[in-house]
Every structure is written in C-alpha cells, then in structure tokens.
Amino acid sequence: MKVTDLSEDDLAAIQLELEDYQITHGSLFKIPRTAPDLDEPTVAIARPVGVSLIPTAFPYLQFQHALFTQSIFNELYIKIAEDELWLEGIIHKFQETDPFATILWQIWERVKSDGEAQSVRCGIFRSDYMLHSIHNGGKATIGQKNIGATAELQIKQVEFNTYSCAGASHANIVTNMHRYLGAKGAHRVTEIKSTNLPKNNAIEEIAASLEAAHRIYDQLAETSRKTAILMTVQPENVNICDERPIEYSLSNCDPPIPLYRVEFSNEVMQRCRLGPKRELLFTSPHGDQVFEVSVVYQRAGYDPGEYTPQGIETRYMLEASRAIKCPTILSHISGFKKVQQELTKPGVLERFVSTENAAVLRRTFMPLYTFDASEDGVAARKLALDEKSAPSYILKPSLDGGGHNIYGKDIPGFLAGIPQHAWSRYILMERINAPLTQGVLVSPLMTHRGPVVSELGAIGTCLWRREAGGAGNTEVLRNASSGWTFKTKPSDVDEMSVVKGYGCFDCPLFLDAFTGIPGGT
Ligand code: ADP
Ligand code: MG
C-alpha cells in the first residue's frame, strides 16, 4: 500500500500503536501541576509529544552528508569559541542594541579577569538543516518511490546551536518507535521496513561525551571528594523526557556517574558554592552530601529573562568555577545568529578551518545579510522592506535565539513598528526552498495529512583543551558525530516548534538507500 492509500481506519490503528509506544517509552511532555487548566492534581500528568504517523521521505545521501559534515562544524565551533578577539569584534558592534550580548560578555570579562580555572571544555552542538531545491521556480516534491532528482537537493543550514541543544532523546525514542513498527509492517506501507529507517543512538552518544568530560575532570582534579555532573534546568519544566534519559544513561556507566538536576537560578544559588580552589561544591538534596561538580551541563540559561541580578551571579559562579562547562560562555556566544552571518562572508571560514573543509561547510550556507547601517546592511534593508522581495527572506534577531523570527511578508510591517536604530539587532536570511513531501502528523494541536517539510539536526559532541600561553591553540580530545533529530511540520507553517504543537518528531525514510544513486528506484 502507498501512504496516499491509507484509510482513516488504518491511520487510527497506527495511532493506537504509536501512543502505546510513546506512553511506555516516555515520548511525553510533562504537564506542570500548576498549569492553569488543571485542578491541582495529586498525580503527574503527561501527554504524548507530536509525532509523524508515517516516517517521512528524505534522501539518504543528503542525510549522510549532514552527519559527515558535523565533525568539521565541531572543529569550526571549537576554534571560534577560543578566538576571543574575533568574537569580541562581532559582539562589540551589537552591544548597544542587544542587552543579552552585553550581559553575557560582561560575565565573560569578570571570569577572564579572575583567570579561568578550567582549560577543558565540552560541547554538545546541533546543526539544523532543511533540503533546498536548486530548481528555479515552482516547488520540488519528494514523492513516494520517485524521489525526484535528489541531486538537485542540497542540505542548507538553518542555524547552528551551541547551547542547551534539545530534542536528542525524543528523536532517539521516536526513531526506535518507527523502526519497531517498520519491522512489524505496522505502517501498512510497502516501502517502509526497519532497514530503510536509520538507527539513532543520540542518547548514548551524548551520555558518552558527558562521561568523557567527567572522567577527565576526575583525572585532572585529583580531588578526594565524590564528583557529580550538574544539569541546570528551568523550573516548571515540560521537557523532562528529553533530559532525563541522558541522566539515566549515565547511571549505566561503570562506575555509574551521578547527575543532579538543579533549577537555574534559585536552586543553584542555594545548593552550590565555590571552594578555595574554585571547585564547584554542590550539596545534594539527599542527605546533605557534598559533591564536587565535574561538568556543568547547561539546559537552562538561554532565555534573556533568566538573567535577573541573581541569574547573572549564578552564571558567573558556574563559569568562574573549575568545573568543565558544557558549554563555556564564549561557546554560548558562538551560537548567536550574528556569528552565523559573519561566517558567510568571503574568507572568514578559512580563518578557522582548511580551505578544503571551508568549501564543504560553505556549500551548506544560504545567503545571510547584516542588517545594520553599513552599505551591505542598507542593501539588505531594501530587500526586506520591498513587499515583492520580502517573502523570500526571514528576519532573525542577530544575537539571542528562540521564537522571535519574522517571516516573509510580515517583515515590512514589523520593521515599520520598531525604531530604526533597533534594526541592527537583526540579520536577514534568504528563505530555504524546501521540497514538499507527503506526510501524516498528529499533535495535540492538529492532525495533518498532506504536504510537509522536514528538518534534520545533526548532533555533534566534542571535548577540547585550551593550551596554555593565550594563543588560542587547542588540543581536541574528542570530536564525534553523535546522532540526529528529525522534525516535520505542515508545509504552510513557518516556525518549527514541537512544544507549541505544530512540529512533530519523525524518522527519515530512505527510498534511495540501496542504490546509492540519487533518484534511483
Ligand atoms: P530559533 O532560534 O527560533 O530556533 P531558527 O533559525 O532555527 O531560530 O528558525 C526557527 C524555524 O524557522 C526553523 O526551525 C525553520 O523551521 C524556520 N526557518 C528558519 N530559517 C529559515 C530559512 N532560511 N528558510 C526556511 N525556514 C527557515
Ligand atoms: Mg532553531
């Protein structure tokens, strides 16, 4: 049977299978007990995350290329995070218009004047891509069987995330689910077998990178205290099912590694303090035992609203400590969209990676423009203000990430509503011309059957040491491509948000996996 032949009864039967798997395996969002529409429940309440009912077609070669490219992106972002002068040049230009950049940079300057207590750093990154059709005009489609000339599809980077990268556990579980259903033939679609659905070990890979950081801390610190990893989290967290599997996986290490979740910033301030050698000392809630923190794994502290005066002191204490930061504050700043835009300028990639690798990375870039009062910025402003050209662009805040983009035709009206001096906070990105695929999605907000667009996030993990002497030289201790996320949304939706209910976790379906020839059958 083809996807388009599935009846409503077929889909309902698949959904039953899916929801049982999701409930059994923690593919869930936890609803806080304080949610307004809940009547103070005494038991926990959760609901399944939005998922695809049927894995969505994606070309194998482009998928593999994204994973292959990740170790080069890891190398690039390791180098950027150690090139303080280059980063400062970018941040300086934007400090007036972006208070968040200023806050983070000032914390870094305090840490620097104290002298950094730890030279080893850990990164858990995610590079997001969409397929881009290089056809001029019209929408390309990825049909069943006939994948359409996939050679004309390129992966293009949406953004590069360096801080608090989410989704790995959900992606891992949803892939396992589709592979399980595929092996049983439960999707009822002839082409879907577990053999053309890729494996994803993102949870284990992320745990392995945290384990490597923890072990090296133990070796270097020569401490007699017990050590543990600290995961900063936001209060009233709906996403525990994405965070907890990493913690549980660490408990399977030999010997097991304890990880404590601590809310940013109140609880961090209550439970943590710096010792005489700037050890980060954590008092556990279980019997007041004191641990020395080996790794600070940040899953909070990305929202400017978290940086109250206490939030600022909290981030400073964590950064100033001798715990290994995942990631450091400079690595956090490296993930700003303004950095992404600067990297597209001619010759900039070559500052960090070989010419050959620069060419590989550059092929994934869409045109990105500065939006300041410079000559280039003025040219970009013209494109964004013109109602004819605006639909081909997306306006993004240059420095702080998350949910604030302005899409296409909304750009001119948005710009008219804010003072012109604030425009420099933004960058302008050309819209990726994603091919349409047929998909079936279900989330609490919608059931969608029809054209969809997918997004692949290549996860990278790394561990490096800054060498003494201040030249920014690094010794890379680990650099791995570590699984992926795959999310799909209805094609007419601009943003991608599983939490808000219009994006769904999914698993790529390779229709061309076995020929290795793009477009082969
Ligand atoms: P955020 O920091 O909000 O995650 P992103 O750059 O990831 O910002 O953009 C959010 C979403 O908007 C993406 O996940 C993608 O669905 C869509 N998007 C962003 N940039 C583009 C683009 N150039 N072309 C098409 N869609 C885009
Ligand atoms: Mg994003």
Side-chain angles (χ1 to χ4, degrees), residues 77-119:
Y77 277 85
I78 288 172
K79 298 263 176 66
I80 293 174
E82 301 303 334
D83 196 337
E84 188 202 339
L85 275 183
W86 186 79
L87 275 178
E88 188 175 20
I90 292 168
I91 297 306
H92 249 7
K93 286 189 241 163
F94 292 88
Q95 280 193 341
E96 274 172 33
T97 48
D98 201 301
F100 189 39
T102 309
I103 289 172
L104 293 184
W105 197 264
Q106 284 172 349
I107 296 173
W108 159 242
E109 286 189 326
R110 283 170 70 191
V111 172
K112 193 169 71 161
S113 72
D114 298 342
E116 277 190 279
Q118 177 59 258
S119 60

mmCIF file of all heavy atoms in Angstrom, residues 77-119:
data_model
loop_
_atom_site.group_PDB
_atom_site.id
_atom_site.type_symbol
_atom_site.label_atom_id
_atom_site.label_comp_id
_atom_site.label_asym_id
_atom_site.label_seq_id
_atom_site.Cartn_x
_atom_site.Cartn_y
_atom_site.Cartn_z
ATOM 1 N N TYR A 77 33.520 25.308 15.400
ATOM 2 C CA TYR A 77 32.973 25.969 16.599
ATOM 3 C C TYR A 77 33.888 25.827 17.822
ATOM 4 O O TYR A 77 33.812 26.641 18.730
ATOM 5 C CB TYR A 77 31.523 25.519 16.843
ATOM 6 C CG TYR A 77 30.578 26.337 15.971
ATOM 7 C CD1 TYR A 77 30.311 25.975 14.661
ATOM 8 C CD2 TYR A 77 30.025 27.522 16.441
ATOM 9 C CE1 TYR A 77 29.493 26.754 13.845
ATOM 10 C CE2 TYR A 77 29.218 28.314 15.640
ATOM 11 C CZ TYR A 77 28.942 27.923 14.349
ATOM 12 O OH TYR A 77 28.144 28.720 13.547
ATOM 13 N N ILE A 78 34.742 24.836 17.810
ATOM 14 C CA ILE A 78 35.782 24.764 18.854
ATOM 15 C C ILE A 78 36.718 25.964 18.666
ATOM 16 O O ILE A 78 37.048 26.693 19.599
ATOM 17 C CB ILE A 78 36.582 23.437 18.740
ATOM 18 C CG1 ILE A 78 35.737 22.248 19.193
ATOM 19 C CG2 ILE A 78 37.887 23.518 19.556
ATOM 20 C CD1 ILE A 78 36.382 20.875 18.930
ATOM 21 N N LYS A 79 37.125 26.187 17.412
ATOM 22 C CA LYS A 79 38.085 27.264 17.126
ATOM 23 C C LYS A 79 37.473 28.632 17.414
ATOM 24 O O LYS A 79 38.143 29.513 17.962
ATOM 25 C CB LYS A 79 38.513 27.198 15.650
ATOM 26 C CG LYS A 79 39.225 25.917 15.267
ATOM 27 C CD LYS A 79 40.746 26.126 15.317
ATOM 28 C CE LYS A 79 41.524 24.868 15.043
ATOM 29 N NZ LYS A 79 41.357 24.363 13.667
ATOM 30 N N ILE A 80 36.211 28.810 17.020
ATOM 31 C CA ILE A 80 35.565 30.117 17.244
ATOM 32 C C ILE A 80 35.519 30.429 18.737
ATOM 33 O O ILE A 80 35.817 31.550 19.161
ATOM 34 C CB ILE A 80 34.132 30.126 16.650
ATOM 35 C CG1 ILE A 80 34.188 30.046 15.126
ATOM 36 C CG2 ILE A 80 33.380 31.384 17.084
ATOM 37 C CD1 ILE A 80 32.822 29.896 14.464
ATOM 38 N N ALA A 81 35.150 29.420 19.542
ATOM 39 C CA ALA A 81 34.995 29.653 20.985
ATOM 40 C C ALA A 81 36.321 30.014 21.650
ATOM 41 O O ALA A 81 36.329 30.569 22.748
ATOM 42 C CB ALA A 81 34.384 28.419 21.657
ATOM 43 N N GLU A 82 37.435 29.702 20.990
ATOM 44 C CA GLU A 82 38.739 30.048 21.569
ATOM 45 C C GLU A 82 39.335 31.296 20.920
ATOM 46 O O GLU A 82 40.447 31.681 21.241
ATOM 47 C CB GLU A 82 39.714 28.867 21.451
ATOM 48 C CG GLU A 82 39.246 27.598 22.144
ATOM 49 C CD GLU A 82 38.944 27.791 23.636
ATOM 50 O OE1 GLU A 82 39.514 28.693 24.273
ATOM 51 O OE2 GLU A 82 38.092 27.032 24.161
ATOM 52 N N ASP A 83 38.594 31.904 20.002
ATOM 53 C CA ASP A 83 39.105 33.102 19.322
ATOM 54 C C ASP A 83 38.367 34.314 19.879
ATOM 55 O O ASP A 83 37.485 34.896 19.247
ATOM 56 C CB ASP A 83 38.891 32.962 17.815
ATOM 57 C CG ASP A 83 39.722 33.959 17.023
ATOM 58 O OD1 ASP A 83 40.103 35.002 17.597
ATOM 59 O OD2 ASP A 83 39.965 33.695 15.830
ATOM 60 N N GLU A 84 38.792 34.690 21.073
ATOM 61 C CA GLU A 84 38.079 35.738 21.788
ATOM 62 C C GLU A 84 38.088 37.075 21.043
ATOM 63 O O GLU A 84 37.084 37.786 21.023
ATOM 64 C CB GLU A 84 38.735 35.896 23.168
ATOM 65 C CG GLU A 84 37.983 36.809 24.057
ATOM 66 C CD GLU A 84 38.859 37.377 25.155
ATOM 67 O OE1 GLU A 84 39.905 36.776 25.447
ATOM 68 O OE2 GLU A 84 38.500 38.430 25.693
ATOM 69 N N LEU A 85 39.223 37.377 20.422
ATOM 70 C CA LEU A 85 39.337 38.669 19.733
ATOM 71 C C LEU A 85 38.331 38.780 18.599
ATOM 72 O O LEU A 85 37.686 39.798 18.401
ATOM 73 C CB LEU A 85 40.750 38.834 19.168
ATOM 74 C CG LEU A 85 41.779 39.379 20.137
ATOM 75 C CD1 LEU A 85 43.114 39.544 19.408
ATOM 76 C CD2 LEU A 85 41.315 40.727 20.704
ATOM 77 N N TRP A 86 38.214 37.696 17.840
ATOM 78 C CA TRP A 86 37.281 37.691 16.708
ATOM 79 C C TRP A 86 35.841 37.846 17.204
ATOM 80 O O TRP A 86 35.061 38.630 16.671
ATOM 81 C CB TRP A 86 37.455 36.390 15.913
ATOM 82 C CG TRP A 86 36.650 36.357 14.650
ATOM 83 C CD1 TRP A 86 36.965 36.969 13.467
ATOM 84 C CD2 TRP A 86 35.398 35.693 14.451
ATOM 85 N NE1 TRP A 86 35.975 36.719 12.542
ATOM 86 C CE2 TRP A 86 35.010 35.943 13.119
ATOM 87 C CE3 TRP A 86 34.566 34.918 15.252
ATOM 88 C CZ2 TRP A 86 33.824 35.437 12.576
ATOM 89 C CZ3 TRP A 86 33.380 34.415 14.723
ATOM 90 C CH2 TRP A 86 33.022 34.666 13.391
ATOM 91 N N LEU A 87 35.511 37.090 18.255
ATOM 92 C CA LEU A 87 34.155 37.173 18.803
ATOM 93 C C LEU A 87 33.875 38.562 19.362
ATOM 94 O O LEU A 87 32.793 39.115 19.175
ATOM 95 C CB LEU A 87 33.980 36.150 19.934
ATOM 96 C CG LEU A 87 33.596 34.733 19.544
ATOM 97 C CD1 LEU A 87 33.530 33.855 20.786
ATOM 98 C CD2 LEU A 87 32.243 34.705 18.819
ATOM 99 N N GLU A 88 34.874 39.122 20.023
ATOM 100 C CA GLU A 88 34.679 40.434 20.630
ATOM 101 C C GLU A 88 34.381 41.488 19.558
ATOM 102 O O GLU A 88 33.517 42.353 19.737
ATOM 103 C CB GLU A 88 35.930 40.830 21.425
ATOM 104 C CG GLU A 88 35.714 42.089 22.233
ATOM 105 C CD GLU A 88 36.916 42.420 23.107
ATOM 106 O OE1 GLU A 88 38.026 41.923 22.835
ATOM 107 O OE2 GLU A 88 36.729 43.179 24.056
ATOM 108 N N GLY A 89 35.088 41.362 18.423
ATOM 109 C CA GLY A 89 34.858 42.298 17.323
ATOM 110 C C GLY A 89 33.407 42.269 16.870
ATOM 111 O O GLY A 89 32.816 43.294 16.527
ATOM 112 N N ILE A 90 32.800 41.091 16.889
ATOM 113 C CA ILE A 90 31.405 40.974 16.452
ATOM 114 C C ILE A 90 30.462 41.485 17.537
ATOM 115 O O ILE A 90 29.543 42.257 17.279
ATOM 116 C CB ILE A 90 31.096 39.501 16.119
ATOM 117 C CG1 ILE A 90 31.894 39.108 14.887
ATOM 118 C CG2 ILE A 90 29.618 39.278 15.899
ATOM 119 C CD1 ILE A 90 31.903 37.633 14.647
ATOM 120 N N ILE A 91 30.719 41.066 18.751
ATOM 121 C CA ILE A 91 29.801 41.417 19.848
ATOM 122 C C ILE A 91 29.833 42.923 20.116
ATOM 123 O O ILE A 91 28.794 43.535 20.355
ATOM 124 C CB ILE A 91 30.184 40.625 21.123
ATOM 125 C CG1 ILE A 91 30.012 39.128 20.872
ATOM 126 C CG2 ILE A 91 29.348 41.054 22.328
ATOM 127 C CD1 ILE A 91 28.655 38.714 20.376
ATOM 128 N N HIS A 92 31.004 43.529 20.006
ATOM 129 C CA HIS A 92 31.137 44.955 20.276
ATOM 130 C C HIS A 92 30.191 45.786 19.431
ATOM 131 O O HIS A 92 29.547 46.694 19.908
ATOM 132 C CB HIS A 92 32.581 45.402 20.008
ATOM 133 C CG HIS A 92 33.287 45.772 21.275
ATOM 134 N ND1 HIS A 92 32.727 45.574 22.519
ATOM 135 C CD2 HIS A 92 34.476 46.364 21.499
ATOM 136 C CE1 HIS A 92 33.556 45.999 23.437
ATOM 137 N NE2 HIS A 92 34.633 46.468 22.860
ATOM 138 N N LYS A 93 30.113 45.391 18.144
ATOM 139 C CA LYS A 93 29.282 46.170 17.220
ATOM 140 C C LYS A 93 27.810 46.149 17.641
ATOM 141 O O LYS A 93 27.049 47.012 17.280
ATOM 142 C CB LYS A 93 29.388 45.567 15.812
ATOM 143 C CG LYS A 93 30.695 45.841 15.126
ATOM 144 C CD LYS A 93 30.601 45.402 13.663
ATOM 145 C CE LYS A 93 31.633 44.316 13.378
ATOM 146 N NZ LYS A 93 31.418 43.546 12.179
ATOM 147 N N PHE A 94 27.418 45.103 18.381
ATOM 148 C CA PHE A 94 25.998 44.928 18.639
ATOM 149 C C PHE A 94 25.586 45.181 20.079
ATOM 150 O O PHE A 94 24.435 45.038 20.429
ATOM 151 C CB PHE A 94 25.569 43.527 18.184
ATOM 152 C CG PHE A 94 25.646 43.459 16.717
ATOM 153 C CD1 PHE A 94 26.812 43.107 16.090
ATOM 154 C CD2 PHE A 94 24.579 43.886 15.951
ATOM 155 C CE1 PHE A 94 26.925 43.140 14.719
ATOM 156 C CE2 PHE A 94 24.672 43.927 14.580
ATOM 157 C CZ PHE A 94 25.848 43.546 13.960
ATOM 158 N N GLN A 95 26.573 45.551 20.879
ATOM 159 C CA GLN A 95 26.266 45.678 22.294
ATOM 160 C C GLN A 95 25.192 46.736 22.574
ATOM 161 O O GLN A 95 24.363 46.550 23.437
ATOM 162 C CB GLN A 95 27.532 45.993 23.076
ATOM 163 C CG GLN A 95 28.334 44.722 23.298
ATOM 164 C CD GLN A 95 29.431 44.891 24.312
ATOM 165 O OE1 GLN A 95 29.828 45.987 24.593
ATOM 166 N NE2 GLN A 95 29.903 43.810 24.851
ATOM 167 N N GLU A 96 25.229 47.819 21.808
ATOM 168 C CA GLU A 96 24.270 48.893 22.087
ATOM 169 C C GLU A 96 22.844 48.431 21.896
ATOM 170 O O GLU A 96 21.944 48.827 22.611
ATOM 171 C CB GLU A 96 24.514 50.055 21.122
ATOM 172 C CG GLU A 96 25.570 51.000 21.618
ATOM 173 C CD GLU A 96 25.924 52.013 20.560
ATOM 174 O OE1 GLU A 96 25.040 52.399 19.764
ATOM 175 O OE2 GLU A 96 27.099 52.399 20.524
ATOM 176 N N THR A 97 22.633 47.579 20.869
ATOM 177 C CA THR A 97 21.255 47.204 20.556
ATOM 178 C C THR A 97 20.858 45.865 21.166
ATOM 179 O O THR A 97 19.702 45.501 21.139
ATOM 180 C CB THR A 97 21.050 47.120 19.030
ATOM 181 O OG1 THR A 97 22.125 46.349 18.497
ATOM 182 C CG2 THR A 97 21.034 48.490 18.413
ATOM 183 N N ASP A 98 21.789 45.100 21.694
ATOM 184 C CA ASP A 98 21.422 43.803 22.237
ATOM 185 C C ASP A 98 21.897 43.617 23.674
ATOM 186 O O ASP A 98 23.044 43.252 23.925
ATOM 187 C CB ASP A 98 21.961 42.680 21.349
ATOM 188 C CG ASP A 98 21.182 41.404 21.603
ATOM 189 O OD1 ASP A 98 21.170 40.941 22.762
ATOM 190 O OD2 ASP A 98 20.568 40.875 20.666
ATOM 191 N N PRO A 99 20.983 43.877 24.628
ATOM 192 C CA PRO A 99 21.394 43.815 26.033
ATOM 193 C C PRO A 99 21.848 42.422 26.471
ATOM 194 O O PRO A 99 22.720 42.298 27.333
ATOM 195 C CB PRO A 99 20.136 44.229 26.807
ATOM 196 C CG PRO A 99 19.048 44.394 25.813
ATOM 197 C CD PRO A 99 19.604 44.276 24.432
ATOM 198 N N PHE A 100 21.309 41.358 25.849
ATOM 199 C CA PHE A 100 21.690 39.996 26.265
ATOM 200 C C PHE A 100 23.161 39.733 25.961
ATOM 201 O O PHE A 100 23.898 39.174 26.784
ATOM 202 C CB PHE A 100 20.800 38.971 25.556
ATOM 203 C CG PHE A 100 20.959 37.563 26.067
ATOM 204 C CD1 PHE A 100 21.130 37.292 27.423
ATOM 205 C CD2 PHE A 100 20.922 36.485 25.188
ATOM 206 C CE1 PHE A 100 21.267 35.992 27.891
ATOM 207 C CE2 PHE A 100 21.054 35.172 25.649
ATOM 208 C CZ PHE A 100 21.237 34.935 27.006
ATOM 209 N N ALA A 101 23.597 40.198 24.774
ATOM 210 C CA ALA A 101 25.010 40.027 24.419
ATOM 211 C C ALA A 101 25.890 40.744 25.435
ATOM 212 O O ALA A 101 26.938 40.230 25.850
ATOM 213 C CB ALA A 101 25.262 40.598 23.027
ATOM 214 N N THR A 102 25.443 41.925 25.839
ATOM 215 C CA THR A 102 26.232 42.707 26.794
ATOM 216 C C THR A 102 26.335 41.963 28.123
ATOM 217 O O THR A 102 27.419 41.882 28.719
ATOM 218 C CB THR A 102 25.554 44.083 27.018
ATOM 219 O OG1 THR A 102 25.307 44.650 25.739
ATOM 220 C CG2 THR A 102 26.427 45.013 27.838
ATOM 221 N N ILE A 103 25.211 41.427 28.586
ATOM 222 C CA ILE A 103 25.220 40.696 29.864
ATOM 223 C C ILE A 103 26.212 39.529 29.806
ATOM 224 O O ILE A 103 27.058 39.365 30.687
ATOM 225 C CB ILE A 103 23.798 40.167 30.197
ATOM 226 C CG1 ILE A 103 22.898 41.341 30.581
ATOM 227 C CG2 ILE A 103 23.837 39.120 31.308
ATOM 228 C CD1 ILE A 103 21.438 40.948 30.736
ATOM 229 N N LEU A 104 26.117 38.740 28.745
ATOM 230 C CA LEU A 104 26.996 37.563 28.659
ATOM 231 C C LEU A 104 28.458 37.988 28.536
ATOM 232 O O LEU A 104 29.338 37.396 29.173
ATOM 233 C CB LEU A 104 26.613 36.667 27.481
ATOM 234 C CG LEU A 104 25.258 35.972 27.581
ATOM 235 C CD1 LEU A 104 25.057 35.042 26.389
ATOM 236 C CD2 LEU A 104 25.101 35.169 28.867
ATOM 237 N N TRP A 105 28.708 39.037 27.747
ATOM 238 C CA TRP A 105 30.100 39.459 27.559
ATOM 239 C C TRP A 105 30.677 39.986 28.875
ATOM 240 O O TRP A 105 31.837 39.722 29.213
ATOM 241 C CB TRP A 105 30.218 40.497 26.431
ATOM 242 C CG TRP A 105 31.639 40.589 25.982
ATOM 243 C CD1 TRP A 105 32.575 41.499 26.386
ATOM 244 C CD2 TRP A 105 32.320 39.678 25.110
ATOM 245 N NE1 TRP A 105 33.785 41.218 25.804
ATOM 246 C CE2 TRP A 105 33.665 40.107 25.008
ATOM 247 C CE3 TRP A 105 31.920 38.542 24.389
ATOM 248 C CZ2 TRP A 105 34.607 39.447 24.226
ATOM 249 C CZ3 TRP A 105 32.862 37.887 23.601
ATOM 250 C CH2 TRP A 105 34.185 38.336 23.538
ATOM 251 N N GLN A 106 29.851 40.703 29.633
ATOM 252 C CA GLN A 106 30.351 41.229 30.916
ATOM 253 C C GLN A 106 30.661 40.082 31.888
ATOM 254 O O GLN A 106 31.623 40.149 32.648
ATOM 255 C CB GLN A 106 29.340 42.191 31.535
ATOM 256 C CG GLN A 106 29.369 43.546 30.833
ATOM 257 C CD GLN A 106 28.250 44.472 31.268
ATOM 258 O OE1 GLN A 106 27.311 44.047 31.954
ATOM 259 N NE2 GLN A 106 28.324 45.725 30.851
ATOM 260 N N ILE A 107 29.855 39.035 31.867
ATOM 261 C CA ILE A 107 30.156 37.879 32.732
ATOM 262 C C ILE A 107 31.501 37.287 32.306
ATOM 263 O O ILE A 107 32.359 36.973 33.126
ATOM 264 C CB ILE A 107 29.043 36.806 32.661
ATOM 265 C CG1 ILE A 107 27.731 37.376 33.198
ATOM 266 C CG2 ILE A 107 29.444 35.556 33.446
ATOM 267 C CD1 ILE A 107 26.529 36.466 33.020
ATOM 268 N N TRP A 108 31.689 37.159 30.984
ATOM 269 C CA TRP A 108 32.963 36.611 30.477
ATOM 270 C C TRP A 108 34.140 37.475 30.941
ATOM 271 O O TRP A 108 35.172 36.970 31.367
ATOM 272 C CB TRP A 108 32.920 36.475 28.954
ATOM 273 C CG TRP A 108 34.279 36.409 28.332
ATOM 274 C CD1 TRP A 108 34.818 37.289 27.453
ATOM 275 C CD2 TRP A 108 35.300 35.422 28.568
ATOM 276 N NE1 TRP A 108 36.095 36.919 27.117
ATOM 277 C CE2 TRP A 108 36.425 35.770 27.793
ATOM 278 C CE3 TRP A 108 35.359 34.279 29.359
ATOM 279 C CZ2 TRP A 108 37.603 35.030 27.790
ATOM 280 C CZ3 TRP A 108 36.546 33.532 29.362
ATOM 281 C CH2 TRP A 108 37.641 33.915 28.585
ATOM 282 N N GLU A 109 33.976 38.795 30.877
ATOM 283 C CA GLU A 109 35.096 39.668 31.268
ATOM 284 C C GLU A 109 35.449 39.502 32.743
ATOM 285 O O GLU A 109 36.619 39.548 33.125
ATOM 286 C CB GLU A 109 34.765 41.122 30.925
ATOM 287 C CG GLU A 109 34.871 41.317 29.419
ATOM 288 C CD GLU A 109 34.776 42.752 28.962
ATOM 289 O OE1 GLU A 109 34.031 43.534 29.593
ATOM 290 O OE2 GLU A 109 35.429 43.073 27.950
ATOM 291 N N ARG A 110 34.430 39.276 33.578
ATOM 292 C CA ARG A 110 34.721 39.029 35.001
ATOM 293 C C ARG A 110 35.495 37.708 35.158
ATOM 294 O O ARG A 110 36.463 37.629 35.919
ATOM 295 C CB ARG A 110 33.412 38.952 35.808
ATOM 296 C CG ARG A 110 32.788 40.306 36.074
ATOM 297 C CD ARG A 110 31.386 40.152 36.650
ATOM 298 N NE ARG A 110 31.358 39.638 38.021
ATOM 299 C CZ ARG A 110 30.238 39.239 38.637
ATOM 300 N NH1 ARG A 110 29.084 39.264 38.002
ATOM 301 N NH2 ARG A 110 30.285 38.799 39.867
ATOM 302 N N VAL A 111 35.048 36.702 34.441
ATOM 303 C CA VAL A 111 35.714 35.388 34.529
ATOM 304 C C VAL A 111 37.170 35.516 34.062
ATOM 305 O O VAL A 111 38.095 34.990 34.686
ATOM 306 C CB VAL A 111 34.967 34.337 33.662
ATOM 307 C CG1 VAL A 111 35.741 33.031 33.578
ATOM 308 C CG2 VAL A 111 33.573 34.089 34.212
ATOM 309 N N LYS A 112 37.336 36.255 32.980
ATOM 310 C CA LYS A 112 38.685 36.411 32.420
ATOM 311 C C LYS A 112 39.597 37.138 33.406
ATOM 312 O O LYS A 112 40.757 36.768 33.584
ATOM 313 C CB LYS A 112 38.598 37.191 31.109
ATOM 314 C CG LYS A 112 39.877 37.127 30.315
ATOM 315 C CD LYS A 112 39.704 37.673 28.925
ATOM 316 C CE LYS A 112 39.541 39.169 28.940
ATOM 317 N NZ LYS A 112 39.821 39.770 27.620
ATOM 318 N N SER A 113 39.055 38.162 34.060
ATOM 319 C CA SER A 113 39.948 38.908 34.960
ATOM 320 C C SER A 113 40.290 38.076 36.200
ATOM 321 O O SER A 113 41.338 38.254 36.805
ATOM 322 C CB SER A 113 39.358 40.265 35.332
ATOM 323 O OG SER A 113 38.292 40.072 36.213
ATOM 324 N N ASP A 114 39.413 37.117 36.560
ATOM 325 C CA ASP A 114 39.774 36.190 37.650
ATOM 326 C C ASP A 114 40.853 35.199 37.200
ATOM 327 O O ASP A 114 41.557 34.611 38.008
ATOM 328 C CB ASP A 114 38.578 35.316 38.066
ATOM 329 C CG ASP A 114 37.426 36.140 38.615
ATOM 330 O OD1 ASP A 114 37.662 37.297 38.995
ATOM 331 O OD2 ASP A 114 36.294 35.613 38.645
ATOM 332 N N GLY A 115 40.905 34.952 35.880
ATOM 333 C CA GLY A 115 41.735 33.870 35.332
ATOM 334 C C GLY A 115 40.892 32.602 35.303
ATOM 335 O O GLY A 115 40.343 32.202 36.333
ATOM 336 N N GLU A 116 40.775 31.987 34.126
ATOM 337 C CA GLU A 116 39.920 30.793 34.025
ATOM 338 C C GLU A 116 40.491 29.644 34.855
ATOM 339 O O GLU A 116 41.707 29.411 34.821
ATOM 340 C CB GLU A 116 39.827 30.339 32.572
ATOM 341 C CG GLU A 116 38.795 31.078 31.764
ATOM 342 C CD GLU A 116 38.595 30.406 30.427
ATOM 343 O OE1 GLU A 116 39.420 30.653 29.523
ATOM 344 O OE2 GLU A 116 37.657 29.615 30.295
ATOM 345 N N ALA A 117 39.613 28.948 35.589
ATOM 346 C CA ALA A 117 40.079 27.875 36.465
ATOM 347 C C ALA A 117 40.079 26.512 35.760
ATOM 348 O O ALA A 117 40.529 25.512 36.336
ATOM 349 C CB ALA A 117 39.204 27.812 37.709
ATOM 350 N N GLN A 118 39.550 26.470 34.543
ATOM 351 C CA GLN A 118 39.446 25.174 33.846
ATOM 352 C C GLN A 118 39.776 25.383 32.372
ATOM 353 O O GLN A 118 39.215 26.278 31.739
ATOM 354 C CB GLN A 118 38.013 24.633 33.990
ATOM 355 C CG GLN A 118 37.746 23.346 33.266
ATOM 356 C CD GLN A 118 38.664 22.215 33.727
ATOM 357 O OE1 GLN A 118 39.634 21.876 33.038
ATOM 358 N NE2 GLN A 118 38.400 21.644 34.883
ATOM 359 N N SER A 119 40.664 24.572 31.825
ATOM 360 C CA SER A 119 41.017 24.747 30.414
ATOM 361 C C SER A 119 40.369 23.693 29.506
ATOM 362 O O SER A 119 40.501 23.756 28.286
ATOM 363 C CB SER A 119 42.543 24.692 30.246
ATOM 364 O OG SER A 119 43.008 23.440 30.707
#
